Amino acid sequence: MSVHVLENEMLKVTVADSGAELISVFDKENETERMWDADPAVWNRHAPILFPFIGKTAGGRYRYKGNEYAMKTQHGFARDMEFCCVSEDGQSVTHCLKATEDTRKIYPFDFELYVTHSLDSASPRKVKVQWEIKNKGGEAMLYSIGGHPGFRTPAKETEDRSDYYLEFPQKDTVEYILINPSTGLAVRERTYRLQLENGFYPIARNLFDKDALIFEESQIEKVRISKPDKTPYVTLECVGFPYVGIWSKPEGNFVCLEPWYGRTDNDGFAGPLQEKEGEQVLPAGESKTIEYTIEFHK
């Protein structure tokens, strides 16, 4: 697997050509790995890019302009494809994925997706992730895109994941929906609430027993994982994102903070792609740039 390394005085960051995936952030000051190790017995990924779908399509298929397309894998196909590295300089690396005959069979749009990971010269503990989606076709393009970075939690062998907290700065409560475990689709009819204590909520072992917590309506622009003493551990900043998912495996020593433009189908959805919840529209010949940042605190 070909990889590319970005490095400053605080972090050593590794990005793979496969999936343009962020696979390692080594904290040089604390001498510890901050990303999940992709243990195949638990969850075999680090930080996949979700494109051109997030989550599952109902029945593993979708409809567009009277045609039906198969999308049997969840989260689209970009995470499983080889990207081309188009530039790197030790502080940033940019990868590109372009539509092919094979992708058009399951996703009938001509696209180019550029993914840039970069270090922040002013804040050496921050990593920025930027996506540029280009519509190279002659009609509007429908898509979703999201991040799925998994952070190693806890940081120390003497701690447990349940010793850590989710922190939603300046929030008293946040609302979320869940996924139907038998279909993998969102149950929109019922919402749940996290009642926060000064913005904090404990990461109990059973918090993700029913899969991801999905926060809608741009509720969250910043969310972090905090240490047992409630000091910051990892902060995700995702201004403008309409959705954020938070997920882990009950047995996993990691937590994913996932910024999304789009989300999984609603349970029972049978309409065309144009009516899919959260679907993004990119006019012909235009491009869209989206970015988020991750701060790895000391």
Side-chain angles (χ1 to χ4, degrees), residues 108-112 134-141 282-286:
F109 299 100
D110 285 317
F111 69 88
E112 292 181 0
K134 294 185 177 183
N135 181 356
K136 307 298 287 186
E139 60 183 14
M141 172 178 151
L282 186 60
E286 295 194 9

Side-chain angles (χ1 to χ4, degrees), residues 28-73:
K28 296 162 67 174
E29 187 175 14
N30 293 314
E31 297 185 339
T32 185
E33 176 60 50
R34 304 297 293 270
M35 301 299 294
W36 170 241
D37 64 5
D39 179 355
V42 182
W43 181 54
N44 64 344
R45 300 181 190 268
H46 306 274
I49 294 167
L50 318 181
F51 177 87
F53 291 93
I54 293 171
K56 293 184 177 181
T57 57
R61 61 183 66 88
Y62 67 95
R63 288 147 291 281
Y64 176 70
K65 287 194 169 182
N67 296 314
E68 186 170 275
Y69 297 87
M71 186 56 61
K72 297 188 181 302
T73 57

Side-chain angles (χ1 to χ4, degrees), residues 66-82:
N67 296 314
E68 186 170 275
Y69 297 87
M71 186 56 61
K72 297 188 181 302
T73 57
Q74 66 174 353
H75 299 318
F77 49 73
R79 63 179 186 167
D80 297 315
M81 297 191 71
E82 196 76 7

Side-chain angles (χ1 to χ4, degrees), residues 3 20 32 78 97 102 107 114 116 118 140 180-181 186 231 274 284 289:
V3 300
T32 185
L97 180 68
D102 287 337
Y107 180 65
Y114 293 85
T116 300
S118 59
N180 180 341
T231 57
Q274 297 92 317
T289 299

